[in-house]
Amino acid sequence: MTDRELAPAPIAGSAAEAGPRTRAWLRAALRRLVGSPEYPAEAADRREFEVLGLRLPVRATVVIIVVVLAMIFDYSRTFFPRDLIAFDRNPGMQRLQAFDRLALYVLVPLLVTLIGFRDRPSRYGLRLGDWRWGIGLAVAGCAVMTPIVLAVAPDPSFHEFYGPSWSSLLDVLATNGIDLFSAEFLFRGFLMLTLVRTIGSIGVLVAALPFVFGHLTKPEIELLSALAGGMAYGWLTWRTGSILWGALAHTYILTLLMWAAAAPVAAG
């Protein structure tokens, strides 16, 4: 047998091995994608107290109470001067609401974390986390959502709700950035990561519920999608250990929605 006749054998062997290697690479890539981050509970996370026979975890109970009160005060605009309260969704009111949420959703939980819990804010998502996956997953999510947002934005309900809030791109980006960073910290960092250490992964779903309730005044399409969106942002925080990437993606998606919904206003 000549050398020429023997030559194809290694090529055929390589082709036969390519399939299993590709499948193994895909399985490894999937494992890296979904990850398996651990959020071990420290002794303080497990500490309990008893009320009328109920044994409740101290930290999780405090966090839930703080989140409920923050949402009530935000909805009621409790700390707004009465002469500044307006419900017409003008850009100035949206900016004032964003700073109000910065205080209620970020500063108050931070004080509870630092002074009440004597804990590190990094345990509640205030860090870069797994930033390589964070950047990649946030960009991928935004790419998937862009055509969806542009498809639903012309709906009259979005035009009526978001049109009055549009001013300029930089102004809306700044307002949304403050607002949504605050929301991501309250729901995904402060609440969700506390619950994950207390009740496990179901905490991702539980923490999405108040996020959904915060959308009750919004267009029905957005309200119906809020649970899926809350789970997606929650998973991103769980996967990366940081609220930053969800906050950036959330800001992009909402700003795009507002821009597309307000386009008829600008054209008019």
Side-chain angles (χ1 to χ4, degrees):
M1 186 175 291
T2 65
D3 291 340
R4 182 174 297 178
E5 291 171 322
L6 290 172
I11 297 175
S14 298
E17 295 172 359
R21 282 203 302 267
T22 300
R23 289 192 293 271
W25 182 87
L26 289 174
R27 285 194 296 268
L30 182 60
R31 284 195 297 270
R32 289 195 298 271
L33 171 64
V34 299
S36 187
E38 295 183 358
Y39 294 92
E42 298 179 352
D45 298 314
R46 294 190 293 267
R47 188 173 298 124
E48 297 179 338
F49 69 105
E50 186 171 341
V51 177
L52 300 176
L54 298 175
R55 294 201 60 80
L56 303 174
V58 175
R59 284 189 174 178
T61 302
V62 170
V63 165
I64 290 170
I65 291 172
V66 169
V67 170
V68 170
L69 290 177
M71 293 187 70
I72 291 173
F73 293 148
D74 173 64
Y75 179 79
S76 302
R77 299 185 174 180
T78 302
F79 302 108
F80 279 42
R82 301 305 300 177
D83 56 343
L84 291 181
I85 291 181
F87 294 94
D88 55 3
R89 296 195 52 78
N90 67 78
M93 196 66 206
Q94 296 308 299
R95 190 178 306 109
L96 184 61
Q97 177 177 266
F99 282 110
D100 187 59
R101 287 179 176 170
L102 183 65
L104 288 172
Y105 288 8
V106 178
L107 295 183
V108 171
L110 268 180
L111 289 175
V112 172
T113 299
L114 293 170
I115 299 175
F117 297 165
R118 299 182 182 275
D119 205 358
R120 306 180 304 280
S122 60
R123 296 185 77 229
Y124 301 84
L126 290 182
R127 60 191 182 108
L128 288 178
D130 191 348
W131 61 271
R132 291 181 179 85
W133 277 103
I135 293 173
L137 291 169
V139 170
C142 290
V144 170
M145 287 302 301
T146 294
I148 298 174
V149 168
L150 294 178
V152 302
D155 186 275
S157 63
F158 287 108
H159 171 66
E160 293 170 6
F161 189 83
Y162 286 115
S165 302
W166 185 262
S167 53
S168 68
L169 178 59
L170 289 178
D171 182 59
V172 172
L173 269 175
T175 297
N176 287 346
I178 296 169
D179 190 354
L180 297 177
F181 172 82
S182 303
E184 289 300 317
F185 177 64
L186 183 75
F187 296 123
R188 252 68 74 174
F190 189 60
L191 176 61
M192 189 193 83
L193 292 182
T194 298
L195 293 178
V196 166
R197 292 185 177 95
T198 306
I199 60 176
S201 298
I202 190 66
V204 178
L205 174 60
V206 174
L209 300 183
F211 176 75
V212 173
F213 299 150
H215 288 68
L216 285 175
T217 61
K218 296 193 173 187
E220 185 176 12
I221 298 173
E222 187 175 358
L223 175 59
L224 290 172
S225 68
L227 181 58
M231 286 292 293
Y233 293 127
W235 179 84
L236 184 55
T237 295
W238 173 85
R239 174 61 183 81
T240 64
S242 170
I243 67 161
L244 177 61
W245 315 112
L248 291 174
H250 204 168
T251 299
Y252 166 79
I253 291 169
L254 179 59
T255 303
L256 177 66
L257 175 61
M258 292 177 65
W259 172 80
V265 175

